[in-house]
Amino acid sequence: MLSSSQMVWMTDVMVGLSCDCMLSIWPMPAMPPPSDIVKVAIEWPGANAQLIEIDQKKPLTSIIREVCDGWSLSGSEQFALRYADGPQLYITEQSRCEIKNGTILRLAISPMRAARQLLERIQSHGIDARLEALKELAKLSADPTFATEFINMEGLVTLARLVESGTHFGEMLAFTLTAFLELMDHGIVSWDLISISFIKQASYVNQPMVDVSILQRSLAILESMVLNSHSLYQRVAQEITVAQLIAHLQVSNQEIQTYAIALINALFLKTPEDRRQEMASTLAQKHLRGIILNHIIRGNRPVKAEMAHQLYVLQVLTFNLLEERMMTKMDPNDQANNDPSGTEKRKAIYTKDYKMLGFTNPVNPAMDFTQTPPGMLALDNMLYLAKVHQDTYIRIVLENSSREDKHECPFGRSAIELTRMLCDILQVGELPNEGCNDFHPMFFTHERAWEEFFCVCIQLLNKTWKEMRATAEDFNKVMTVVREQITRALAMKPPSLEQLRVKLRSLSYSEILRLRQSERMSQDDFQSPPIIELRERIQPEILELIKQQRLNRLCEGSCFRKLGNRRRQEKFWFCRLSLNHKVLHYGDLDETPQGEVPFELLTDKIPVSDIKAVLTGKDCPHMKEKSALKQNKEVLELAFSILYDPDEALNFVAPNKYEYCIWTDGLSALLGKELGSDLTRSDLDTLMSMEMKLRLLDLENITIPEAPPPVPKEPSTYNFTYNYG
């Protein structure tokens, strides 16, 4: 523990390095400490902490030897330094550069010694001693330095044997599986080395009445096996049935449900393309969609972020089954699609019918399906409409065939273009985006959700065509309006296809025009010289207001999810700006925070004066390092990094576009740069428009009160009505 005098010393260090407001009252500016000297406190149980200055040029072994000498401890090679707060990771020559001034460290036994001791205790005969050792191991295994030492001592093999023996239950088994997963997560050992007996024994998903913590870890391990090894995927697919996984979706624990869907998604993703349709049929036979709808989407608890992501992944993988048909062209010379034996008269009749149906090539409509996308998928949609919704199909065709030629809506061309548009909106054929939670509940309400979605949208297109009194020349204009109607309706996340119909009915062509006009009005820019001059005078005030709002939001802080732990419990970290706008505080969290996170919990900090630059997108260091993320467009759009002395980076991936704009704007404001985000432009336009309209109000002969009018008293009763007649 730190004494009161030591706490004063540490506080002075932290205050001085935080560039706190006390700097302003010092008689002379303090000289900055050398960049290779770091002031820290080091603890040891039962002794007063040592306050030392670490010379980063000296070997770490020399520093540890000096610390041990301070407490008269022999055998300094048996000791190491760890952080006292947060994850309490070991400090190595590679990671020592991350030590900040004012950090509290702890002298501990070395990783090798700790690994050896834990390995001996794990193999001891005492149940209590073994349980405590496994509990400590589960915590230490997250440290890569310790993990390397433990694995080098065949510790992972020992854990695998404990699981395979089948003699561990309850907490002991839960800690064993946790440690195993943490160790494997470092990527030191290939998953291909896992034995078949381990897979069979660790597959607790098919055992009744298993402990929740054990089941969670079992599902997470199986998911990692599937994602990281093709051979293990095959073994897991043989051991685990879809029915067993679906059973875990009907429990009340959303964590178990999330892990179960994650494993289903992993199996779906790794299934060979020629067998994915077969797996989809199996999932449909087991009523997966209905179970998800009733037990998760319409369950008693709100859908959490990780569950929303897994539902989004399942939605994407399901729609990607359409890719093959979407990229398949129809052969114009296919004899099955033409009638070569027919007479010229019959061919003329067919041509007339095809023209009535609105095909671009009525002589040979197969030509209309040669472009990919949408390929044969458009024909599939048209056939579904004609067979399942025959009345709707007949009504659309007859309505347009009876109109004047210049106002008829070409059904064939419209269906093909609409299919292409829907494929683009729902990104059919693209892999799921890391961090995206954009699932649509309505797609889980019907076994043929894609086809039903098309049927709803083709009716919308026909309706909008009539409302616009469109002609063939207006085709692209109509499709633009229809796309806007669909995207606006999807953004409302209708819970069912019927609700989608309602939303689309409300978004008529006249409503779209009204919305466009309203949005234009909010961005109206009068061009007369007095108005331009007024705008120029107001704009700096508005920009300063936006800047202060961004800085206030940074002071409140935001939670960011760590990438790369999809197969485990979700991990978070939090960052917020000090109230004097001079220090960024950040640190790890076990779960999403509820409310404000105090500065005391955020153990790491970066002085704003040390920030060199803010990078975004593909320029970020973590986007360059992780090739998988480079391909992820959504993550790329939300990534930004802070570069600070000495040549270090703090990497962010914002949870959404709004938080991305808030943080990049706020950091730009701290560095004295312009705020250039889309959100700033939108806010500036909105606030400028409001301020301009207020200042241009005709207030002649109108007295504006100095104080707001009082709120009237409540009426004695509410038993009254107003008769509009």
Side-chain angles (χ1 to χ4, degrees):
M1 295 290 293
L2 296 177
S3 65
S4 58
S5 61
Q6 290 169 333
M7 287 300 294
V8 170
W9 184 88
M10 290 297 294
T11 303
D12 288 343
V13 171
M14 294 162 67
V15 168
L17 289 154
S18 302
C19 304
D20 211 342
C21 58
M22 290 183 66
L23 285 172
S24 61
I25 63 173
W26 284 7
M28 292 183 63
M31 293 296 291
S35 59
D36 51 2
I37 300 297
V38 184
K39 295 182 178 182
V40 300
I42 302 179
E43 297 178 335
W44 176 253
N48 289 330
Q50 296 186 38
L51 308 177
I52 69 171
E53 294 184 352
I54 292 180
D55 186 350
Q56 294 285 33
K57 293 180 180 179
K58 291 177 64 175
L60 194 57
T61 53
S62 300
I63 296 170
I64 295 172
R65 186 183 306 113
E66 292 175 4
V67 173
C68 289
D69 291 343
W71 283 310
S72 302
L73 298 173
S74 59
S76 62
E77 67 277 0
Q78 297 294 318
F79 293 93
L81 292 176
R82 293 173 62 186
Y83 289 99
D85 301 314
Q88 301 181 6
L89 300 177
Y90 279 102
I91 295 168
T92 64
E93 287 290 355
Q94 291 73 32
S95 65
R96 63 184 295 179
C97 60
E98 299 173 6
I99 301 175
K100 304 296 188 296
N101 284 285
T103 301
I104 301 176
L105 306 179
R106 178 177 299 157
L107 186 67
I109 61 174
S110 67
M112 181 183 294
R113 186 178 169 190
R116 186 182 298 111
Q117 289 181 0
L118 281 175
L119 197 55
E120 292 172 357
R121 290 164 58 193
I122 287 169
Q123 299 176 84
S124 65
H125 297 293
I127 299 297
D128 293 339
R130 192 185 303 173
L131 178 61
E132 285 302 313
L134 287 169
K135 185 176 181 180
E136 188 176 344
L137 177 64
K139 184 177 180 181
L140 268 176
S141 295
D143 189 304
T145 308
F146 170 84
T148 302
E149 297 292 346
F150 189 79
I151 290 172
N152 289 340
M153 295 178 185
E154 301 295 326
L156 203 55
V157 176
T158 302
L159 291 181
R161 286 174 185 162
L162 291 177
V163 174
E164 292 170 11
S165 68
T167 58
H168 284 55
F169 305 97
E171 274 190 310
M172 192 172 292
L173 179 58
F175 288 132
T176 303
L177 294 175
T178 301
F180 182 87
L181 183 59
E182 290 283 3
L183 292 167
M184 291 299 298
D185 193 51
H186 294 293
I188 301 170
V189 178
S190 171
W191 282 93
D192 288 315
L193 300 178
I194 304 303
S195 66
I196 304 304
S197 58
F198 179 88
I199 299 175
K200 292 184 177 181
Q201 192 61 44
S203 302
Y204 292 95
V205 298
N206 52 14
Q207 297 184 15
M209 304 302 291
V210 67
D211 184 80
V212 170
S213 58
I214 294 174
L215 182 57
Q216 282 184 356
R217 287 153 180 80
S218 177
L219 287 166
I221 289 173
L222 291 171
E223 182 195 1
S224 294
M225 290 178 179
V226 171
L227 292 174
N228 291 286
S229 169
H230 178 69
S231 60
L232 288 184
Y233 151 71
Q234 294 175 321
R235 296 290 184 179
V236 173
Q238 292 171 2
E239 285 291 325
I240 307 300
T241 66
V242 170
Q244 291 167 348
L245 294 177
I246 290 179
H248 293 300
L249 300 180
Q250 302 177 60
V251 300
S252 58
N253 187 315
Q254 192 170 123
E255 299 298 329
I256 295 295
Q257 293 173 324
T258 303
Y259 281 113
I261 291 187
L263 181 51
I264 290 173
N265 286 337
L267 290 167
F268 206 159
L269 187 63
K270 292 298 180 179
T271 299
E273 290 188 11
D274 57 344
R275 290 178 50 207
R276 283 186 189 171
Q277 200 70 49
E278 178 185 340
M279 182 173 181
S281 300
T282 303
L283 294 175
Q285 291 170 7
K286 300 298 180 181
H287 309 292
L288 174 65
R289 179 198 58 78
I291 291 171
I292 289 176
L293 180 66
N294 296 321
H295 291 271
I296 298 175
I297 297 176
R298 295 177 180 173
N300 297 325
R301 295 193 300 168
V303 175
K304 295 181 180 179
E306 179 61 20
M307 173 61 83
H309 172 75
Q310 295 300 339
L311 292 176
Y312 155 77
V313 171
L314 182 60
Q315 172 185 293
V316 170
L317 294 177
T318 303
F319 282 149
N320 281 356
L321 295 172
L322 304 168
E323 184 180 13
E324 182 181 357
R325 294 292 287 172
M326 180 183 77
M327 301 307 295
T328 301
K329 300 179 181 180
M330 179 182 284
D331 183 1
N333 300 317
D334 187 351
Q335 298 302 309
N337 299 315
N338 297 281
D339 185 9
S341 62
T343 62
E344 289 298 324
K345 183 178 180 181
R346 178 178 293 181
K347 288 182 179 180
I349 294 174
Y350 285 164
T351 299
K352 183 179 179 181
D353 290 342
Y354 290 143
K355 185 176 181 180
M356 184 186 301
L357 285 171
F359 286 104
T360 306
N361 297 279
V363 175
N364 185 4
M367 294 290 295
D368 288 22
F369 300 98
T370 56
Q371 186 175 356
T372 58
M376 294 293 286
L377 184 60
L379 181 59
D380 296 341
N381 287 340
M382 296 165 70
L383 289 174
Y384 181 88
L385 175 68
K387 291 179 179 179
V388 179
H389 299 279
Q390 192 176 54
D391 292 344
T392 300
Y393 168 74
I394 293 173
R395 177 175 56 79
I396 291 175
V397 172
L398 291 181
E399 273 185 6
N400 289 289
S401 63
S402 61
R403 291 182 193 171
E404 300 177 24
D405 286 347
K406 64 177 183 177
H407 288 299
E408 63 184 16
C409 176
F411 171 73
R413 183 184 177 190
S414 298
I416 293 169
E417 289 301 318
L418 178 62
T419 302
R420 179 185 290 109
M421 179 196 297
L422 297 183
C423 289
D424 182 51
I425 291 173
L426 296 177
Q427 299 181 328
V428 175
E430 296 187 17
L431 288 175
N433 289 326
E434 180 77 20
C436 182
N437 304 333
D438 190 25
F439 85 97
H440 294 277
M442 68 177 185
F443 291 132
F444 292 86
T445 63
H446 201 285
E447 291 295 347
R448 303 294 294 273
W450 166 264
E451 290 85 351
E452 290 293 323
F453 182 46
F454 168 82
C455 293
V456 171
C457 293
I458 193 68
Q459 294 177 71
L460 167 73
L461 194 156
N462 190 60
K463 172 175 170 286
T464 303
W465 186 282
K466 289 189 290 186
E467 291 173 347
M468 295 177 66
R469 291 193 55 78
T471 62
E473 289 75 18
D474 301 318
F475 185 85
N476 291 334
K477 181 181 177 182
V478 174
M479 295 306 295
T480 301
V481 173
V482 169
R483 186 185 186 98
E484 185 174 346
Q485 290 170 315
I486 294 171
T487 52
R488 285 181 183 270
L490 287 178
M492 302 178 198
K493 293 294 178 73
S496 66
L497 289 162
E498 187 54 41
Q499 283 296 312
L500 175 68
R501 293 177 190 272
V502 174
K503 302 290 184 188
L504 290 174
R505 275 199 294 269
S506 66
L507 289 169
S508 61
Y509 176 55
S510 59
E511 176 64 11
I512 292 295
L513 291 179
R514 189 193 68 77
L515 289 171
R516 287 178 176 178
Q517 179 68 17
S518 175
E519 290 166 1
R520 276 197 297 268
M521 287 288 290
S522 67
Q523 301 173 0
D524 211 358
D525 187 10
F526 304 105
Q527 296 301 318
S528 62
I531 299 298
I532 293 175
E533 183 181 348
L534 180 59
R535 285 181 62 86
E536 291 174 350
R537 291 178 56 187
I538 294 173
Q539 185 162 319
E541 301 174 17
I542 301 298
L543 285 172
E544 182 62 26
L545 183 65
I546 294 173
K547 173 183 172 182
Q548 291 304 318
Q549 188 271 341
R550 301 295 194 263
L551 293 175
N552 290 340
R553 278 288 289 107
L554 264 61
C555 290
E556 294 174 10
S558 297
C559 184
F560 301 91
R561 186 176 55 78
K562 288 191 172 183
L563 293 176
N565 17 255
R566 276 287 165 213
R567 56 185 178 276
R568 300 184 303 162
Q569 185 71 25
E570 198 165 21
K571 294 184 178 180
F572 304 89
W573 67 285
F574 197 89
C575 187
R576 62 180 297 197
L577 179 67
S578 64
L579 300 181
N580 61 5
H581 299 173
K582 294 187 177 180
V583 181
L584 279 174
H585 298 261
Y586 65 96
D588 292 340
L589 299 176
D590 293 330
E591 57 185 16
T592 307
Q594 302 296 327
E596 186 177 281
V597 176
F599 289 109
E600 293 76 19
L601 296 181
L602 305 176
T603 55
D604 299 306
K605 60 179 66 176
I606 300 174
V608 171
S609 58
D610 285 354
I611 298 177
K612 294 180 177 179
V614 177
L615 303 179
T616 59
K618 62 183 179 181
D619 296 325
C620 297
H622 54 322
M623 293 296 103
K624 294 178 180 178
E625 294 168 4
K626 300 188 178 183
S627 58
L629 294 178
K630 283 182 69 177
Q631 307 302 325
N632 192 322
K633 182 180 178 182
E634 182 156 336
V635 172
L636 204 62
E637 291 176 348
L638 300 178
F640 61 98
S641 298
I642 295 174
L643 299 186
Y644 62 98
D645 291 334
D647 297 326
E648 298 181 32
L650 182 63
N651 301 315
F652 300 73
V653 175
N656 49 55
K657 189 67 175 178
Y658 176 79
E659 289 293 332
Y660 170 84
C661 293
I662 288 290
W663 275 85
T664 52
D665 280 345
L667 293 170
S668 297
L670 288 174
L671 298 180
K673 297 182 179 180
E674 290 186 5
L675 282 59
S677 73
D678 295 339
L679 183 62
T680 292
R681 287 190 287 271
S682 174
D683 288 349
L684 179 63
D685 289 343
T686 300
L687 294 173
M688 283 289 292
S689 176
M690 291 172 58
E691 187 68 16
M692 291 286 289
K693 290 174 182 176
L694 284 173
R695 297 201 183 191
L696 293 173
L697 283 175
D698 184 5
L699 300 178
E700 188 176 354
N701 299 324
I702 297 177
T703 302
I704 300 177
E706 294 293 333
V711 178
K713 294 181 179 180
E714 291 190 12
S716 56
T717 69
Y718 290 89
N719 300 326
F720 55 84
T721 60
Y722 183 83
N723 187 350
Y724 287 92

